[in-house]
Amino acid sequence: MTQSGDVEPSADRRRGAVRLAVGLAQGLAFYGLHRAEVTKTWPATDGPTFAACAMALVFAPVVVIGGLGHLRRTTLGVWTLVAAVIAAGLSAYAVAKATTLTAPSPRMPDFPVFMAVAALVFIAHHLIVPADARRRWLAPYRDYFDVGWLDAAQLGLALAFTGAFWLLLQLGASLFQLIGISGFRTVIQSEWFAFPATTGAFAMGVHLADVRLGLTRGLRTIGLFLLSWLLPLMTLIAAGFLISLLFTGLAPLWRSRVATGVLLASMATLIVLVNAAYRDGGEEAAPFVLRWATRITAVALVPLAILAAYGLGLRISQHGLTPERIIAGACLLVALLYALGYAFAALAPGRWMRPLERANVAAAFLILGLIVALFSPIADPTPISVRDQVARLVNGKVAVADFDFNFLRFRAGKAGLAALNTLAKDRLGPHAIVIAERARSAMNSKYPAENVAPQGTLVIYPKGTALPEGLEAAMGAWSWPCRSKPCEVFPIALTSDGSTQYLLSANYSLWVFARDPDGHWSNAGLFTQSCPGVLEALRAGRATAAPPLSSWKDLIAGGNRLTIQPTIKPNVCFATSTQSPPQPASKPPIVPTR
């Protein structure tokens, strides 16, 4: 998106027309995908294909719009194709691995995948443009700086232009609405208009920012200047934090359970501010305060990285690998490269912080490699985490009651379900029977179940009674109040076959659990209990089952069964009055109708 000077008028018009055409075509293609999703036609019927098409449409036109006039045609064509293939491939893989027989296929990847692809395309684009201009594999650092930061400013201006465009349209619609004309609002709210209008406005925003590069470069300079003077403040904060650790010790840090994430975020902020102060390392020297703040910050990055690595190592040793911890480890690897490179730059003789340039370029290539590896089958964190967590369970490093079966069932895609299937069928570990039962319960659950601690949360009546195998796990999703106070469980026969069901008293409700035809425990309904004496009667074993009071029949219509909700609430209380509980009426009561 950058070049050395303002564009000639004729070239400006041609480039603007092409960019607008690409933006409008992108919007029309998005509209086509939207219609396919609405009408349930291909490619919306295939999740990975839909995600691949959508993500390729997001990034390939942006590469064309940004690279037009700044890349040779052959380079632009090849890079656009490569960007589309990478975006489509990583997105399709993310959706495919989340698609299972029991989970519907998502049509778009998760937000982290989108951000990873966006970062990959942005970084790669700004490595390619300067190198192509110089006809070299690597360009001078000053070119990387100029292209990257200037394009970031242009991107922000284009997004602001698109937002202002829609604000004006909404204002115009409101004006027409004042005189009773609603057609304008109807048009701008129509998908056939909204998609191409948005992408076309963004394309024109990029073009307008590209035409007057002098103004855009001035805005970038002001932004970097303001950011650079935040560096001394952040340097004092980081230095004060490290000094405070000498007095507080590391224990409060680890008790927070978010130490690694906060440390990495702080390092990322410091790295951005250091680069805002260093800029392109030109002849114009930075003020004395900024030079020393940069050196101190560069050195302080090392202990921050060490603390983050130690904290992440503790969490992994205690709780094993998860996708989030693996990605945090990748971020930590990049942070260590920055920290060591910047510390060397701060201490090395010669021009101020010159080795920082090599660290930045090396980190850019490292980030590209890590994104491709982590979001593809090369080093996908999900199967790695599944193998590690299952191994910890089988080896006894984690108790069965503490193991997160929800992760395998709902957040690990095909790899998690395959692991659950193995645990349910194979006899693995010293607690194989309990593991198999919990795995089967997780496979049959439709919603994530909260793990229930085995002691101190459930009180079983009659005292000393043991719960059937698998029941405690099935109660998990309904027993979250039991973490703050004990909940009570009561056996009772509520069906005509004489089988035993169990009532879980939690959150002013009595949740009914029964065995399904396959022998697995699941929730079958609830009683709302707010009357005095209910729990006392259950504890004393004086609760009995009785037929329902209502004599209304269900309504069968259109293949659906509808059950009336009587005006006499089932939890109306009679224990504190002289009135006897009502008996089933010979005639149905009159129910008011609307």
Side-chain angles (χ1 to χ4, degrees):
M1 291 183 219
T2 60
Q3 61 182 36
S4 58
D6 293 346
V7 184
E8 294 295 331
S10 59
D12 171 23
R13 288 191 294 270
R14 291 194 300 271
R15 198 170 299 165
V18 174
R19 281 174 169 150
L20 180 60
V22 172
L24 293 175
Q26 181 189 27
L28 290 174
F30 276 131
Y31 175 68
L33 283 180
H34 171 71
R35 291 303 306 168
E37 186 175 16
V38 171
T39 58
K40 308 300 181 185
T41 57
W42 192 90
T45 54
D46 183 77
T49 303
F50 185 86
C53 293
M55 293 289 277
L57 278 176
V58 170
F59 293 103
V62 174
V63 169
V64 174
I65 292 170
L68 195 65
H70 310 306
L71 286 170
R72 290 175 293 171
R73 291 184 179 179
T74 302
T75 307
L76 178 60
V78 172
W79 166 226
T80 302
L81 179 61
V82 171
V85 170
I86 291 176
L90 296 184
S91 303
Y93 175 72
V95 171
K97 75 174 186 177
T99 304
T100 64
L101 294 175
T102 58
S105 173
R107 291 187 176 88
M108 289 297 290
D110 293 337
F111 183 71
V113 178
F114 177 86
M115 292 303 299
V117 175
L120 185 149
V121 172
F122 185 87
I123 294 172
H125 184 83
H126 297 101
L127 291 173
I128 292 172
V129 171
D132 184 69
R134 295 279 184 171
R135 307 297 193 268
R136 295 165 51 182
W137 288 104
L138 292 175
Y141 181 76
R142 180 172 296 184
D143 292 358
Y144 290 131
F145 167 83
D146 188 57
V147 170
W149 283 93
L150 192 56
D151 278 4
Q154 286 182 249
L155 180 62
L157 290 172
L159 292 174
F161 178 82
T162 305
F165 169 79
W166 273 105
L167 285 176
L168 290 179
L169 288 181
Q170 294 294 338
L171 178 60
S174 299
L175 287 174
F176 280 106
Q177 197 76 37
L178 292 176
I179 56 177
I181 300 176
S182 58
F184 188 81
R185 186 179 298 277
T186 302
V187 169
I188 67 174
Q189 289 179 344
S190 302
E191 290 87 352
W192 60 264
F193 175 84
F195 283 109
T198 302
T199 53
F202 175 79
M204 287 310 299
V206 172
H207 178 69
L208 293 174
D210 197 31
V211 169
R212 295 292 180 260
L213 282 179
L215 296 175
T216 306
R217 188 171 280 112
L219 291 174
R220 180 197 65 180
T221 301
I222 293 174
L224 290 174
F225 176 78
L226 295 175
L227 279 177
S228 66
W229 281 102
L230 292 175
L231 178 61
L233 173 62
M234 193 63 192
T235 302
L236 289 175
I237 293 173
F241 168 76
L242 293 174
I243 293 173
S244 299
L245 288 178
L246 299 176
F247 301 95
T248 64
L250 299 179
L253 196 64
W254 311 140
R255 283 198 299 267
S256 68
R257 299 187 178 183
V258 293
T260 300
V262 175
L263 289 170
L264 288 175
S266 301
M267 291 184 66
T269 303
L270 290 170
I271 290 167
V272 171
L273 295 179
V274 165
N275 280 276
Y278 182 77
R279 303 186 191 180
D280 61 354
E283 296 300 327
E284 183 180 351
F288 174 83
V289 174
L290 290 184
R291 290 203 306 272
W292 277 100
T294 301
R295 291 182 185 274
I296 295 172
T297 298
V299 175
L301 287 173
V302 175
L304 290 175
I306 293 174
L307 287 173
Y310 183 62
L312 182 61
L314 282 179
R315 296 296 293 174
I316 292 175
S317 64
Q318 293 171 353
H319 305 288
L321 293 174
T322 63
E324 294 78 11
R325 289 174 194 140
I326 293 176
I327 293 176
C331 295
L332 182 60
L333 184 62
V334 175
L336 284 170
L337 174 58
Y338 275 117
L340 295 176
Y342 283 22
F344 177 77
L347 301 176
R351 204 184 76 183
W352 173 60
M353 296 293 293
R354 179 67 179 271
L356 170 149
E357 301 175 0
R358 293 193 294 273
N360 281 345
V361 176
F365 283 103
L366 177 61
I367 292 172
L368 292 180
L370 288 174
I371 290 176
V372 172
L374 292 174
F375 293 90
S376 72
I378 298 174
D380 185 355
T382 301
I384 296 174
S385 302
V386 168
R387 290 193 294 269
D388 179 73
Q389 291 292 341
V390 171
R392 288 169 55 85
L393 174 65
V394 173
N395 296 334
K397 291 183 179 180
V398 57
V400 179
D402 296 331
F403 185 76
D404 190 2
F405 286 91
N406 290 333
F407 166 69
L408 300 181
R409 172 64 178 85
F410 296 100
R411 303 195 303 275
K414 293 180 179 178
L417 287 183
L420 278 178
N421 187 60
T422 300
L423 292 174
K425 292 182 178 180
D426 299 342
R427 298 302 183 185
L428 301 175
H431 304 287
I433 297 177
V434 180
I435 291 175
E437 179 65 29
R438 293 290 296 271
R440 285 192 294 269
S441 177
M443 290 177 66
N444 294 325
S445 62
K446 296 181 180 180
Y447 304 99
E450 292 287 341
N451 288 331
V452 182
Q455 288 92 22
T457 55
L458 298 180
V459 179
I460 318 300
Y461 288 88
K463 292 293 184 65
T465 304
L467 291 180
E469 187 173 330
L471 176 58
E472 187 174 330
M475 290 179 172
W478 291 265
S479 62
W480 58 267
C482 309
R483 295 188 172 187
S484 58
K485 60 180 181 179
C487 293
E488 298 169 314
V489 179
F490 309 96
I492 192 170
L494 295 173
T495 56
S496 57
D497 60 5
S499 61
T500 301
Q501 292 78 44
Y502 287 81
L503 305 180
L504 171 67
S505 174
N507 203 27
Y508 300 102
S509 298
L510 290 171
W511 299 93
V512 183
F513 289 85
R515 286 190 186 272
D516 57 27
D518 296 328
H520 302 300
W521 289 97
S522 61
N523 174 251
L526 81 157
F527 295 107
T528 302
Q529 63 93 5
S530 57
C531 300
V534 173
L535 291 180
E536 288 76 3
L538 286 169
R539 292 168 187 151
R542 291 186 280 104
T544 58
L549 293 176
S550 174
S551 60
W552 288 93
K553 296 181 179 180
D554 289 347
L555 174 66
I556 306 296
N560 302 300
R561 177 180 289 271
L562 307 180
T563 302
I564 192 172
Q565 301 296 323
T567 54
I568 300 177
K569 297 181 180 180
N571 64 335
V572 68
C573 304
F574 299 96
T576 57
S577 69
T578 58
Q579 182 182 359
S580 300
Q583 301 299 317
S586 58
K587 294 183 180 181
I590 298 176
V591 179
T593 58
R594 295 182 181 179

